[in-house]
Amino acid sequence: MLVSQILKSKSLPDVITARRDATVQNIAEILSRAKIGAVIISDDGVTVEGIVSERDIVREIGARGSSCLSDPVTKIMTRKVISCTQDQNADQITHAMTEGRFRHMPVVQDGRLIGLISIGDVVKARLSELAMEKDALEGMIKGF
């Protein structure tokens, strides 16, 4: 299954972004309100400058306490963001996420942010694919 197919199946196709001047508190509020796990940091909404996840915020609070909430998000965001293109397959994405130990990956085409997929999106797509394969094999066995 291709990333483009995963993006089409998502219920929230738009990517939520925040500017670099946002605080950690602002990002936490966005994550909570939107019920998502990560926010792309981008001043123009198109270029990926970083990413911040719930895990990043929790780790920082655990290390420094709640005083970090007033810090600019640039202090805790991941700057070297690994992204993918819409023509990559789910197996490649699963491998990259597993090896890199992260759960969210921006989808970029021609330098422009076009989507965001999570490990949950990839697993859901793979399970759907396996169910279709199972049904096809059962059909062949039963002679349908």
Side-chain angles (χ1 to χ4, degrees):
M1 180 168 285
L2 297 178
V3 170
S4 60
Q5 294 168 295
I6 296 171
L7 287 176
K8 287 178 188 171
S9 71
K10 288 182 59 112
S11 59
L12 296 172
D14 293 332
V15 180
I16 296 177
T17 63
R19 297 174 51 85
R20 287 181 299 165
D21 59 1
T23 64
V24 174
Q25 175 72 40
N26 297 142
I27 301 302
E29 290 167 356
I30 291 168
L31 292 170
S32 176
R33 185 173 50 251
K35 295 182 173 90
I36 56 174
V39 172
I40 299 295
I41 306 304
S42 173
D43 282 344
D44 61 9
V46 174
T47 307
V48 177
E49 298 171 48
I51 189 169
V52 177
S53 71
E54 295 167 318
R55 293 166 85 188
D56 296 328
I57 294 171
V58 169
R59 282 189 188 120
E60 199 65 19
I61 290 172
R64 295 185 36 226
S66 63
S67 65
C68 70
L69 294 173
S70 60
D71 288 347
V73 71
T74 53
K75 277 192 151 183
I76 69 164
M77 73 181 191
T78 299
R79 294 176 187 271
K80 293 182 180 178
V81 180
I82 297 172
S83 63
C84 64
T85 60
Q86 59 185 343
D87 59 345
Q88 286 183 269
N89 69 48
D91 291 338
Q92 292 172 306
I93 304 312
T94 303
H95 180 75
M97 288 180 167
T98 302
E99 288 297 309
R101 299 183 50 86
F102 57 89
R103 298 178 185 187
H104 298 87
M105 182 181 280
V107 183
V108 177
Q109 204 70 37
D110 300 322
R112 298 179 60 85
L113 177 66
I114 61 167
L116 180 70
I117 58 173
S118 70
I119 192 68
D121 297 328
V122 177
V123 168
K124 181 180 174 183
R126 186 65 181 130
L127 289 174
S128 174
E129 196 173 47
L130 288 171
M132 287 188 292
E133 289 175 12
K134 175 190 152 285
D135 291 346
L137 288 171
E138 283 179 349
M140 290 188 324
I141 291 168
K142 293 177 181 177
F144 294 121

